[in-house]
Amino acid sequence: MKFKLKYLISLIITILALISCERDDICLDEITPHLTIRFYDKDDLTITKKVSNIRVQIIGIEGDYTGNDDNNTITSSTDSILIPLRVDQDITKFILTSNSTNEVEINADTLIVNYTPEAVFIGRSCGYKAVFKNLDYSFIDENIDTLNWIKDIELITENIEDETIANVKIFH
Amino acid sequence: MKLLQMLKYFINTAFLLSCIVSLSQENSLQLKDTIIQNKYGLRVGIDLFNPVNSFFDEDRKGLELVGDYRVSKKFYVAAELGYLENTTDEDFINFTTNGSYLKAGFDYNAYTNWLDMENAIYVGMRYGFSTFSQTLNNFTINNEAFLDDLAVAESGQKFDNLNAHWVEFVLGIKAELFNNLFLGFSFSGKKMITTKEPDNFKNLFVPGFNRVFLNNSGFGFNYTLSYLIPLYKKEK
């Protein structure tokens, strides 16, 4: 049996080129999802109601959370926000301030979220993301009803696995 | 005058005769040489890349033995056996793979040697499999940059009894340095067939296969020094 050297070499090089490796060193997949809050009207529970000049602070980190470059920025008037949850513990406390630019109507409430974080493998460059299970929400009741701008909270999803739908309703 | 001429004549003839004699001697030597023989035997060797590389790269340690056996003028049965311990450090994960592998297949020497040289430019295929364990040393949960100060690096776990099967296409060269000692270099393109993955993780590195890319392909090369144990000779 005799095969010409040049044809064999080019055959093998073609096979090797077809196998060619697909690089995976940039993280393009979704990472840890945010908590998606939708604001509704306390008087008509099915209609969304925008919050003016909302200010978000996460207890444990200095500074205001102004949003993610990708999709969500905390704007001056919005009916839904995405905020990140801490993965180093199973509770995150937020201070949500409505009308933060208005000296008279400014009102800060504390939202408490409890959950169980779970690590899920994504890939080589993204590593692991966290999903949040068994969500539980509460807010600090300031005794006299009129002092809270958050009047009620309703759970939508028990787990946060992605950012496709809202996870919790806040009525104000 | 006549004497000088006769002397010239004799010297010339003697010279010519001696040439003819020596020519005929060469002829009889050549008759023996035209029966060129190829050496057949078991060639065993060692890969030099991993031992040398481990001086520079602390993350990769291993040893590979190579061998092949000639079955016909152009075909060799070939195998590689080795072990490898490799630590991979990525942005959010750091893991160590530890295991051994075996590859077996054939090589076809497509090069025609001159005279009795035993060099080879070959193409080949291998079936490879490996048994190994992965240890996830630590990982960081990929969260938003705003929470980076609170990022947690968790120490991970060990995954045992993993395995992988793959196929390789090999392109290589072997050159005889001197009597029965060969220096070789080969490049291989690999494609994963099947693999036992760990739970909530992935085999991103497999001993013998090296880095596993997104489409389950990989590549490798080795640089070998081997010795041919000659068993018999056959006519070329």
Side-chain angles (χ1 to χ4, degrees), chain A residues 3 5 8 16 19-20 22 24 32 34 61 65 85 88 119 121 124 126 128, chain B residues 90 108 110 136 142-144 147 152 189-190 200 204 211-212 214-215 217:
Chain A
F3 301 106
L5 177 62
L8 264 175
L16 293 178
I19 294 182
S20 64
E22 197 177 314
D24 57 354
T32 307
H34 292 82
I61 304 185
Y65 178 71
L85 292 168
D88 58 324
F121 183 71
R124 177 189 293 272
C126 297
Y128 283 81
Chain B
E90 300 281 356
Y108 174 78
L136 183 55
N142 197 346
N143 204 352
E144 225 209 78
L147 294 175
V152 168
K190 308 168 203 262
N200 203 21
L204 297 169
R211 172 173 163 160
V212 184
L214 209 56
N215 52 356
S217 58

PDB file of all heavy atoms in Angstrom, chain A residues 3 5 8 16 19-20 22 24 32 34 61 65 85 88 119 121 124 126 128, chain B residues 90 108 110 136 142-144 147 152 189-190 200 204 211-212 214-215 217:
ATOM      1  N   PHE A   3       0.606   5.459  -0.147  1.00  0.00           N
ATOM      2  CA  PHE A   3      -0.135   6.717  -0.256  1.00  0.00           C
ATOM      3  C   PHE A   3       0.845   7.858  -0.389  1.00  0.00           C
ATOM      4  O   PHE A   3       1.846   7.894   0.297  1.00  0.00           O
ATOM      5  CB  PHE A   3      -0.987   6.934   0.997  1.00  0.00           C
ATOM      6  CG  PHE A   3      -1.980   5.839   1.264  1.00  0.00           C
ATOM      7  CD1 PHE A   3      -1.758   4.933   2.283  1.00  0.00           C
ATOM      8  CD2 PHE A   3      -3.124   5.712   0.505  1.00  0.00           C
ATOM      9  CE1 PHE A   3      -2.667   3.926   2.545  1.00  0.00           C
ATOM     10  CE2 PHE A   3      -4.041   4.709   0.758  1.00  0.00           C
ATOM     11  CZ  PHE A   3      -3.813   3.816   1.786  1.00  0.00           C
ATOM     12  N   LEU A   5       2.723  11.102   0.149  1.00  0.00           N
ATOM     13  CA  LEU A   5       2.971  11.864   1.367  1.00  0.00           C
ATOM     14  C   LEU A   5       2.211  13.171   1.373  1.00  0.00           C
ATOM     15  O   LEU A   5       1.551  13.526   2.330  1.00  0.00           O
ATOM     16  CB  LEU A   5       4.480  12.111   1.514  1.00  0.00           C
ATOM     17  CG  LEU A   5       4.911  12.951   2.706  1.00  0.00           C
ATOM     18  CD1 LEU A   5       4.528  12.253   3.995  1.00  0.00           C
ATOM     19  CD2 LEU A   5       6.406  13.184   2.683  1.00  0.00           C
ATOM     20  N   LEU A   8      -1.569  12.805   2.044  1.00  0.00           N
ATOM     21  CA  LEU A   8      -1.846  12.413   3.414  1.00  0.00           C
ATOM     22  C   LEU A   8      -1.683  13.583   4.370  1.00  0.00           C
ATOM     23  O   LEU A   8      -2.487  13.782   5.262  1.00  0.00           O
ATOM     24  CB  LEU A   8      -0.915  11.294   3.842  1.00  0.00           C
ATOM     25  CG  LEU A   8      -1.490   9.897   3.711  1.00  0.00           C
ATOM     26  CD1 LEU A   8      -0.448   8.871   4.051  1.00  0.00           C
ATOM     27  CD2 LEU A   8      -2.677   9.743   4.630  1.00  0.00           C
ATOM     28  N   LEU A  16      -7.524  18.154  11.109  1.00  0.00           N
ATOM     29  CA  LEU A  16      -7.172  18.915  12.301  1.00  0.00           C
ATOM     30  C   LEU A  16      -7.846  20.286  12.281  1.00  0.00           C
ATOM     31  O   LEU A  16      -8.275  20.791  13.306  1.00  0.00           O
ATOM     32  CB  LEU A  16      -5.651  19.077  12.409  1.00  0.00           C
ATOM     33  CG  LEU A  16      -4.865  17.796  12.673  1.00  0.00           C
ATOM     34  CD1 LEU A  16      -3.372  18.083  12.705  1.00  0.00           C
ATOM     35  CD2 LEU A  16      -5.281  17.153  13.965  1.00  0.00           C
ATOM     36  N   ILE A  19     -11.481  19.967  13.319  1.00  0.00           N
ATOM     37  CA  ILE A  19     -11.672  19.770  14.749  1.00  0.00           C
ATOM     38  C   ILE A  19     -11.562  21.105  15.490  1.00  0.00           C
ATOM     39  O   ILE A  19     -12.042  21.245  16.580  1.00  0.00           O
ATOM     40  CB  ILE A  19     -10.610  18.791  15.299  1.00  0.00           C
ATOM     41  CG1 ILE A  19     -10.822  17.404  14.723  1.00  0.00           C
ATOM     42  CG2 ILE A  19     -10.668  18.697  16.794  1.00  0.00           C
ATOM     43  CD1 ILE A  19      -9.845  16.384  15.244  1.00  0.00           C
ATOM     44  N   SER A  20     -10.996  22.094  14.859  1.00  0.00           N
ATOM     45  CA  SER A  20     -10.508  23.333  15.465  1.00  0.00           C
ATOM     46  C   SER A  20     -11.273  23.789  16.700  1.00  0.00           C
ATOM     47  O   SER A  20     -12.487  23.767  16.754  1.00  0.00           O
ATOM     48  CB  SER A  20     -10.512  24.455  14.442  1.00  0.00           C
ATOM     49  OG  SER A  20     -11.828  24.718  14.037  1.00  0.00           O
ATOM     50  N   GLU A  22     -12.925  25.671  19.794  1.00  0.00           N
ATOM     51  CA  GLU A  22     -13.772  26.845  19.973  1.00  0.00           C
ATOM     52  C   GLU A  22     -13.392  27.502  21.290  1.00  0.00           C
ATOM     53  O   GLU A  22     -13.460  26.887  22.338  1.00  0.00           O
ATOM     54  CB  GLU A  22     -15.224  26.377  20.025  1.00  0.00           C
ATOM     55  CG  GLU A  22     -16.251  27.462  19.804  1.00  0.00           C
ATOM     56  CD  GLU A  22     -17.655  26.873  19.810  1.00  0.00           C
ATOM     57  OE1 GLU A  22     -17.854  25.845  19.163  1.00  0.00           O
ATOM     58  OE2 GLU A  22     -18.509  27.431  20.492  1.00  0.00           O
ATOM     59  N   ASP A  24     -13.319  29.618  24.699  1.00  0.00           N
ATOM     60  CA  ASP A  24     -14.354  29.845  25.698  1.00  0.00           C
ATOM     61  C   ASP A  24     -13.820  30.691  26.827  1.00  0.00           C
ATOM     62  O   ASP A  24     -14.156  30.479  27.984  1.00  0.00           O
ATOM     63  CB  ASP A  24     -14.878  28.508  26.231  1.00  0.00           C
ATOM     64  CG  ASP A  24     -13.764  27.661  26.815  1.00  0.00           C
ATOM     65  OD1 ASP A  24     -12.581  28.038  26.707  1.00  0.00           O
ATOM     66  OD2 ASP A  24     -14.071  26.605  27.393  1.00  0.00           O
ATOM     67  N   THR A  32     -25.161  35.884  38.143  1.00  0.00           N
ATOM     68  CA  THR A  32     -26.124  35.889  39.244  1.00  0.00           C
ATOM     69  C   THR A  32     -27.262  36.873  38.972  1.00  0.00           C
ATOM     70  O   THR A  32     -27.022  38.046  38.700  1.00  0.00           O
ATOM     71  CB  THR A  32     -25.402  36.280  40.544  1.00  0.00           C
ATOM     72  OG1 THR A  32     -24.291  35.427  40.714  1.00  0.00           O
ATOM     73  CG2 THR A  32     -26.327  36.176  41.727  1.00  0.00           C
ATOM     74  N   HIS A  34     -30.494  39.442  39.425  1.00  0.00           N
ATOM     75  CA  HIS A  34     -30.901  40.472  40.385  1.00  0.00           C
ATOM     76  C   HIS A  34     -32.296  40.185  40.900  1.00  0.00           C
ATOM     77  O   HIS A  34     -33.067  39.441  40.294  1.00  0.00           O
ATOM     78  CB  HIS A  34     -30.919  41.851  39.720  1.00  0.00           C
ATOM     79  CG  HIS A  34     -29.572  42.361  39.330  1.00  0.00           C
ATOM     80  ND1 HIS A  34     -28.948  41.976  38.176  1.00  0.00           N
ATOM     81  CD2 HIS A  34     -28.747  43.229  39.937  1.00  0.00           C
ATOM     82  CE1 HIS A  34     -27.780  42.583  38.092  1.00  0.00           C
ATOM     83  NE2 HIS A  34     -27.627  43.351  39.140  1.00  0.00           N
ATOM     84  N   ILE A  61     -22.785  47.933  52.275  1.00  0.00           N
ATOM     85  CA  ILE A  61     -21.935  48.547  51.242  1.00  0.00           C
ATOM     86  C   ILE A  61     -22.182  50.045  51.233  1.00  0.00           C
ATOM     87  O   ILE A  61     -23.326  50.507  51.276  1.00  0.00           O
ATOM     88  CB  ILE A  61     -22.254  47.980  49.847  1.00  0.00           C
ATOM     89  CG1 ILE A  61     -22.108  46.472  49.867  1.00  0.00           C
ATOM     90  CG2 ILE A  61     -21.344  48.582  48.804  1.00  0.00           C
ATOM     91  CD1 ILE A  61     -22.271  45.845  48.527  1.00  0.00           C
ATOM     92  N   TYR A  65     -26.761  52.432  45.212  1.00  0.00           N
ATOM     93  CA  TYR A  65     -26.755  51.541  44.064  1.00  0.00           C
ATOM     94  C   TYR A  65     -27.491  52.236  42.936  1.00  0.00           C
ATOM     95  O   TYR A  65     -28.688  52.514  43.046  1.00  0.00           O
ATOM     96  CB  TYR A  65     -27.423  50.200  44.417  1.00  0.00           C
ATOM     97  CG  TYR A  65     -27.479  49.264  43.236  1.00  0.00           C
ATOM     98  CD1 TYR A  65     -26.316  48.678  42.759  1.00  0.00           C
ATOM     99  CD2 TYR A  65     -28.674  48.998  42.584  1.00  0.00           C
ATOM    100  CE1 TYR A  65     -26.342  47.842  41.669  1.00  0.00           C
ATOM    101  CE2 TYR A  65     -28.716  48.162  41.494  1.00  0.00           C
ATOM    102  CZ  TYR A  65     -27.540  47.592  41.037  1.00  0.00           C
ATOM    103  OH  TYR A  65     -27.569  46.762  39.953  1.00  0.00           O
ATOM    104  N   LEU A  85     -28.557  40.960  45.180  1.00  0.00           N
ATOM    105  CA  LEU A  85     -28.623  40.384  46.521  1.00  0.00           C
ATOM    106  C   LEU A  85     -27.234  39.929  46.949  1.00  0.00           C
ATOM    107  O   LEU A  85     -26.422  39.529  46.119  1.00  0.00           O
ATOM    108  CB  LEU A  85     -29.575  39.181  46.534  1.00  0.00           C
ATOM    109  CG  LEU A  85     -31.058  39.477  46.313  1.00  0.00           C
ATOM    110  CD1 LEU A  85     -31.821  38.197  46.066  1.00  0.00           C
ATOM    111  CD2 LEU A  85     -31.634  40.216  47.492  1.00  0.00           C
ATOM    112  N   ASP A  88     -22.897  36.459  50.167  1.00  0.00           N
ATOM    113  CA  ASP A  88     -22.035  36.044  51.273  1.00  0.00           C
ATOM    114  C   ASP A  88     -22.856  35.723  52.519  1.00  0.00           C
ATOM    115  O   ASP A  88     -22.316  35.255  53.517  1.00  0.00           O
ATOM    116  CB  ASP A  88     -21.002  37.138  51.574  1.00  0.00           C
ATOM    117  CG  ASP A  88     -21.655  38.465  51.919  1.00  0.00           C
ATOM    118  OD1 ASP A  88     -22.708  38.785  51.329  1.00  0.00           O
ATOM    119  OD2 ASP A  88     -21.099  39.182  52.768  1.00  0.00           O
ATOM    120  N   ALA A 119     -25.046  27.739  44.639  1.00  0.00           N
ATOM    121  CA  ALA A 119     -24.103  27.955  43.538  1.00  0.00           C
ATOM    122  C   ALA A 119     -24.432  27.020  42.381  1.00  0.00           C
ATOM    123  O   ALA A 119     -24.670  25.830  42.567  1.00  0.00           O
ATOM    124  CB  ALA A 119     -22.678  27.709  44.018  1.00  0.00           C
ATOM    125  N   PHE A 121     -22.990  25.993  38.415  1.00  0.00           N
ATOM    126  CA  PHE A 121     -21.871  26.140  37.499  1.00  0.00           C
ATOM    127  C   PHE A 121     -22.344  26.629  36.137  1.00  0.00           C
ATOM    128  O   PHE A 121     -23.318  26.114  35.590  1.00  0.00           O
ATOM    129  CB  PHE A 121     -21.139  24.808  37.352  1.00  0.00           C
ATOM    130  CG  PHE A 121     -19.922  24.877  36.491  1.00  0.00           C
ATOM    131  CD1 PHE A 121     -18.782  25.533  36.939  1.00  0.00           C
ATOM    132  CD2 PHE A 121     -19.903  24.308  35.229  1.00  0.00           C
ATOM    133  CE1 PHE A 121     -17.647  25.612  36.156  1.00  0.00           C
ATOM    134  CE2 PHE A 121     -18.770  24.377  34.435  1.00  0.00           C
ATOM    135  CZ  PHE A 121     -17.642  25.039  34.902  1.00  0.00           C
ATOM    136  N   ARG A 124     -16.343  27.790  31.968  1.00  0.00           N
ATOM    137  CA  ARG A 124     -14.956  28.029  32.320  1.00  0.00           C
ATOM    138  C   ARG A 124     -14.694  29.473  32.727  1.00  0.00           C
ATOM    139  O   ARG A 124     -14.100  29.739  33.762  1.00  0.00           O
ATOM    140  CB  ARG A 124     -14.057  27.680  31.124  1.00  0.00           C
ATOM    141  CG  ARG A 124     -12.591  27.969  31.387  1.00  0.00           C
ATOM    142  CD  ARG A 124     -11.776  27.832  30.123  1.00  0.00           C
ATOM    143  NE  ARG A 124     -11.740  26.463  29.663  1.00  0.00           N
ATOM    144  CZ  ARG A 124     -10.835  25.562  30.047  1.00  0.00           C
ATOM    145  NH1 ARG A 124      -9.900  25.888  30.904  1.00  0.00           N
ATOM    146  NH2 ARG A 124     -10.876  24.341  29.562  1.00  0.00           N
ATOM    147  N   CYS A 126     -17.047  32.096  33.106  1.00  0.00           N
ATOM    148  CA  CYS A 126     -18.027  32.712  33.991  1.00  0.00           C
ATOM    149  C   CYS A 126     -17.956  32.119  35.387  1.00  0.00           C
ATOM    150  O   CYS A 126     -18.277  32.789  36.367  1.00  0.00           O
ATOM    151  CB  CYS A 126     -19.451  32.514  33.482  1.00  0.00           C
ATOM    152  SG  CYS A 126     -19.783  33.275  31.908  1.00  0.00           S
ATOM    153  N   TYR A 128     -19.139  30.287  38.509  1.00  0.00           N
ATOM    154  CA  TYR A 128     -20.391  29.921  39.156  1.00  0.00           C
ATOM    155  C   TYR A 128     -21.274  31.146  39.331  1.00  0.00           C
ATOM    156  O   TYR A 128     -20.793  32.248  39.520  1.00  0.00           O
ATOM    157  CB  TYR A 128     -20.119  29.334  40.545  1.00  0.00           C
ATOM    158  CG  TYR A 128     -19.630  27.914  40.530  1.00  0.00           C
ATOM    159  CD1 TYR A 128     -18.297  27.624  40.287  1.00  0.00           C
ATOM    160  CD2 TYR A 128     -20.501  26.861  40.776  1.00  0.00           C
ATOM    161  CE1 TYR A 128     -17.846  26.325  40.272  1.00  0.00           C
ATOM    162  CE2 TYR A 128     -20.049  25.558  40.771  1.00  0.00           C
ATOM    163  CZ  TYR A 128     -18.722  25.288  40.514  1.00  0.00           C
ATOM    164  OH  TYR A 128     -18.281  23.999  40.516  1.00  0.00           O
TER     165      TYR A 128
ATOM    166  N   GLU B  90      -8.511  29.909  36.569  1.00  0.00           N
ATOM    167  CA  GLU B  90      -9.285  30.828  35.738  1.00  0.00           C
ATOM    168  C   GLU B  90      -9.771  31.987  36.603  1.00  0.00           C
ATOM    169  O   GLU B  90      -9.511  32.031  37.797  1.00  0.00           O
ATOM    170  CB  GLU B  90     -10.499  30.091  35.130  1.00  0.00           C
ATOM    171  CG  GLU B  90     -10.132  28.909  34.267  1.00  0.00           C
ATOM    172  CD  GLU B  90      -9.677  29.310  32.876  1.00  0.00           C
ATOM    173  OE1 GLU B  90      -9.720  30.502  32.560  1.00  0.00           O
ATOM    174  OE2 GLU B  90      -9.283  28.419  32.116  1.00  0.00           O
ATOM    175  N   TYR B 108       1.136   5.627  10.222  1.00  0.00           N
ATOM    176  CA  TYR B 108       1.494   5.262   8.859  1.00  0.00           C
ATOM    177  C   TYR B 108       2.618   6.181   8.407  1.00  0.00           C
ATOM    178  O   TYR B 108       2.462   7.401   8.373  1.00  0.00           O
ATOM    179  CB  TYR B 108       0.275   5.411   7.935  1.00  0.00           C
ATOM    180  CG  TYR B 108       0.618   5.192   6.478  1.00  0.00           C
ATOM    181  CD1 TYR B 108       0.781   3.914   5.970  1.00  0.00           C
ATOM    182  CD2 TYR B 108       0.802   6.263   5.611  1.00  0.00           C
ATOM    183  CE1 TYR B 108       1.112   3.709   4.642  1.00  0.00           C
ATOM    184  CE2 TYR B 108       1.130   6.072   4.289  1.00  0.00           C
ATOM    185  CZ  TYR B 108       1.286   4.787   3.808  1.00  0.00           C
ATOM    186  OH  TYR B 108       1.630   4.583   2.495  1.00  0.00           O
ATOM    187  N   ALA B 110       4.514   7.935   5.830  1.00  0.00           N
ATOM    188  CA  ALA B 110       4.293   8.290   4.440  1.00  0.00           C
ATOM    189  C   ALA B 110       5.565   8.732   3.746  1.00  0.00           C
ATOM    190  O   ALA B 110       5.542   9.129   2.595  1.00  0.00           O
ATOM    191  CB  ALA B 110       3.243   9.398   4.374  1.00  0.00           C
ATOM    192  N   LEU B 136     -11.939  20.847  43.022  1.00  0.00           N
ATOM    193  CA  LEU B 136     -12.246  22.260  42.864  1.00  0.00           C
ATOM    194  C   LEU B 136     -11.645  22.975  44.069  1.00  0.00           C
ATOM    195  O   LEU B 136     -12.191  22.940  45.161  1.00  0.00           O
ATOM    196  CB  LEU B 136     -13.768  22.438  42.809  1.00  0.00           C
ATOM    197  CG  LEU B 136     -14.337  23.830  42.572  1.00  0.00           C
ATOM    198  CD1 LEU B 136     -13.772  24.437  41.322  1.00  0.00           C
ATOM    199  CD2 LEU B 136     -15.842  23.759  42.492  1.00  0.00           C
ATOM    200  N   ASN B 142     -19.921  34.579  40.766  1.00  0.00           N
ATOM    201  CA  ASN B 142     -19.851  35.701  39.841  1.00  0.00           C
ATOM    202  C   ASN B 142     -21.076  36.587  40.035  1.00  0.00           C
ATOM    203  O   ASN B 142     -22.179  36.247  39.606  1.00  0.00           O
ATOM    204  CB  ASN B 142     -19.795  35.149  38.409  1.00  0.00           C
ATOM    205  CG  ASN B 142     -19.319  36.181  37.420  1.00  0.00           C
ATOM    206  OD1 ASN B 142     -19.264  37.366  37.728  1.00  0.00           O
ATOM    207  ND2 ASN B 142     -18.973  35.738  36.232  1.00  0.00           N
ATOM    208  N   ASN B 143     -20.893  37.701  40.711  1.00  0.00           N
ATOM    209  CA  ASN B 143     -22.012  38.579  41.017  1.00  0.00           C
ATOM    210  C   ASN B 143     -21.699  39.963  40.487  1.00  0.00           C
ATOM    211  O   ASN B 143     -20.652  40.195  39.895  1.00  0.00           O
ATOM    212  CB  ASN B 143     -22.229  38.601  42.532  1.00  0.00           C
ATOM    213  CG  ASN B 143     -23.635  38.986  42.908  1.00  0.00           C
ATOM    214  OD1 ASN B 143     -24.431  39.376  42.061  1.00  0.00           O
ATOM    215  ND2 ASN B 143     -23.964  38.867  44.178  1.00  0.00           N
ATOM    216  N   GLU B 144     -22.598  40.897  40.724  1.00  0.00           N
ATOM    217  CA  GLU B 144     -22.406  42.244  40.196  1.00  0.00           C
ATOM    218  C   GLU B 144     -21.195  42.926  40.795  1.00  0.00           C
ATOM    219  O   GLU B 144     -20.879  42.731  41.962  1.00  0.00           O
ATOM    220  CB  GLU B 144     -23.648  43.064  40.518  1.00  0.00           C
ATOM    221  CG  GLU B 144     -24.095  43.858  39.322  1.00  0.00           C
ATOM    222  CD  GLU B 144     -24.788  45.117  39.699  1.00  0.00           C
ATOM    223  OE1 GLU B 144     -24.083  46.070  40.052  1.00  0.00           O
ATOM    224  OE2 GLU B 144     -26.023  45.125  39.658  1.00  0.00           O
ATOM    225  N   LEU B 147     -21.001  44.581  44.275  1.00  0.00           N
ATOM    226  CA  LEU B 147     -20.870  43.788  45.493  1.00  0.00           C
ATOM    227  C   LEU B 147     -19.497  43.126  45.612  1.00  0.00           C
ATOM    228  O   LEU B 147     -19.314  42.229  46.406  1.00  0.00           O
ATOM    229  CB  LEU B 147     -21.939  42.691  45.521  1.00  0.00           C
ATOM    230  CG  LEU B 147     -23.386  43.140  45.628  1.00  0.00           C
ATOM    231  CD1 LEU B 147     -24.302  41.945  45.529  1.00  0.00           C
ATOM    232  CD2 LEU B 147     -23.630  43.847  46.934  1.00  0.00           C
ATOM    233  N   VAL B 152     -17.224  36.194  47.848  1.00  0.00           N
ATOM    234  CA  VAL B 152     -16.801  35.084  48.700  1.00  0.00           C
ATOM    235  C   VAL B 152     -16.090  34.033  47.872  1.00  0.00           C
ATOM    236  O   VAL B 152     -16.601  33.580  46.874  1.00  0.00           O
ATOM    237  CB  VAL B 152     -18.038  34.447  49.369  1.00  0.00           C
ATOM    238  CG1 VAL B 152     -17.677  33.139  50.016  1.00  0.00           C
ATOM    239  CG2 VAL B 152     -18.622  35.394  50.380  1.00  0.00           C
ATOM    240  N   GLY B 189      -4.656  16.401  17.093  1.00  0.00           N
ATOM    241  CA  GLY B 189      -5.942  17.058  17.253  1.00  0.00           C
ATOM    242  C   GLY B 189      -6.901  16.052  17.850  1.00  0.00           C
ATOM    243  O   GLY B 189      -6.970  14.922  17.369  1.00  0.00           O
ATOM    244  N   LYS B 190      -7.608  16.458  18.907  1.00  0.00           N
ATOM    245  CA  LYS B 190      -8.409  15.482  19.649  1.00  0.00           C
ATOM    246  C   LYS B 190      -9.878  15.857  19.647  1.00  0.00           C
ATOM    247  O   LYS B 190     -10.226  17.045  19.593  1.00  0.00           O
ATOM    248  CB  LYS B 190      -7.926  15.426  21.094  1.00  0.00           C
ATOM    249  CG  LYS B 190      -6.428  15.200  21.216  1.00  0.00           C
ATOM    250  CD  LYS B 190      -5.950  15.434  22.631  1.00  0.00           C
ATOM    251  CE  LYS B 190      -4.488  15.767  22.686  1.00  0.00           C
ATOM    252  NZ  LYS B 190      -3.652  14.603  23.008  1.00  0.00           N
ATOM    253  N   ASN B 200     -22.516  19.499  39.009  1.00  0.00           N
ATOM    254  CA  ASN B 200     -22.409  20.956  39.139  1.00  0.00           C
ATOM    255  C   ASN B 200     -21.001  21.469  38.823  1.00  0.00           C
ATOM    256  O   ASN B 200     -20.523  22.419  39.404  1.00  0.00           O
ATOM    257  CB  ASN B 200     -22.825  21.415  40.546  1.00  0.00           C
ATOM    258  CG  ASN B 200     -23.252  22.867  40.565  1.00  0.00           C
ATOM    259  OD1 ASN B 200     -23.601  23.442  39.547  1.00  0.00           O
ATOM    260  ND2 ASN B 200     -23.183  23.486  41.729  1.00  0.00           N
ATOM    261  N   LEU B 204     -13.018  20.429  32.575  1.00  0.00           N
ATOM    262  CA  LEU B 204     -12.428  21.430  31.701  1.00  0.00           C
ATOM    263  C   LEU B 204     -11.009  21.062  31.306  1.00  0.00           C
ATOM    264  O   LEU B 204     -10.415  21.679  30.437  1.00  0.00           O
ATOM    265  CB  LEU B 204     -12.438  22.792  32.392  1.00  0.00           C
ATOM    266  CG  LEU B 204     -13.835  23.334  32.702  1.00  0.00           C
ATOM    267  CD1 LEU B 204     -13.741  24.539  33.604  1.00  0.00           C
ATOM    268  CD2 LEU B 204     -14.551  23.698  31.414  1.00  0.00           C
ATOM    269  N   ARG B 211      -6.528  20.752  27.642  1.00  0.00           N
ATOM    270  CA  ARG B 211      -7.660  21.647  27.862  1.00  0.00           C
ATOM    271  C   ARG B 211      -8.829  21.262  26.971  1.00  0.00           C
ATOM    272  O   ARG B 211      -8.679  21.085  25.768  1.00  0.00           O
ATOM    273  CB  ARG B 211      -7.190  23.063  27.574  1.00  0.00           C
ATOM    274  CG  ARG B 211      -8.311  24.073  27.580  1.00  0.00           C
ATOM    275  CD  ARG B 211      -7.784  25.472  27.461  1.00  0.00           C
ATOM    276  NE  ARG B 211      -8.866  26.380  27.068  1.00  0.00           N
ATOM    277  CZ  ARG B 211      -8.834  27.688  27.236  1.00  0.00           C
ATOM    278  NH1 ARG B 211      -7.778  28.237  27.791  1.00  0.00           N
ATOM    279  NH2 ARG B 211      -9.836  28.425  26.852  1.00  0.00           N
ATOM    280  N   VAL B 212     -10.000  21.156  27.562  1.00  0.00           N
ATOM    281  CA  VAL B 212     -11.189  20.800  26.796  1.00  0.00           C
ATOM    282  C   VAL B 212     -11.862  22.088  26.362  1.00  0.00           C
ATOM    283  O   VAL B 212     -12.293  22.894  27.182  1.00  0.00           O
ATOM    284  CB  VAL B 212     -12.172  19.965  27.654  1.00  0.00           C
ATOM    285  CG1 VAL B 212     -13.354  19.530  26.825  1.00  0.00           C
ATOM    286  CG2 VAL B 212     -11.481  18.754  28.242  1.00  0.00           C
ATOM    287  N   LEU B 214     -14.731  24.466  24.096  1.00  0.00           N
ATOM    288  CA  LEU B 214     -16.189  24.509  24.165  1.00  0.00           C
ATOM    289  C   LEU B 214     -16.852  23.438  23.304  1.00  0.00           C
ATOM    290  O   LEU B 214     -17.873  22.885  23.671  1.00  0.00           O
ATOM    291  CB  LEU B 214     -16.669  25.901  23.739  1.00  0.00           C
ATOM    292  CG  LEU B 214     -17.979  26.373  24.358  1.00  0.00           C
ATOM    293  CD1 LEU B 214     -17.891  26.341  25.855  1.00  0.00           C
ATOM    294  CD2 LEU B 214     -18.274  27.773  23.886  1.00  0.00           C
ATOM    295  N   ASN B 215     -16.274  23.131  22.155  1.00  0.00           N
ATOM    296  CA  ASN B 215     -16.876  22.113  21.290  1.00  0.00           C
ATOM    297  C   ASN B 215     -16.258  20.734  21.526  1.00  0.00           C
ATOM    298  O   ASN B 215     -16.226  19.905  20.630  1.00  0.00           O
ATOM    299  CB  ASN B 215     -16.754  22.523  19.820  1.00  0.00           C
ATOM    300  CG  ASN B 215     -15.344  22.886  19.434  1.00  0.00           C
ATOM    301  OD1 ASN B 215     -14.444  22.909  20.275  1.00  0.00           O
ATOM    302  ND2 ASN B 215     -15.121  23.140  18.167  1.00  0.00           N
ATOM    303  N   SER B 217     -13.267  19.709  21.785  1.00  0.00           N
ATOM    304  CA  SER B 217     -12.078  19.328  21.034  1.00  0.00           C
ATOM    305  C   SER B 217     -10.846  19.812  21.787  1.00  0.00           C
ATOM    306  O   SER B 217     -10.947  20.626  22.708  1.00  0.00           O
ATOM    307  CB  SER B 217     -12.118  19.916  19.634  1.00  0.00           C
ATOM    308  OG  SER B 217     -12.212  21.321  19.704  1.00  0.00           O
TER     309      SER B 217
END
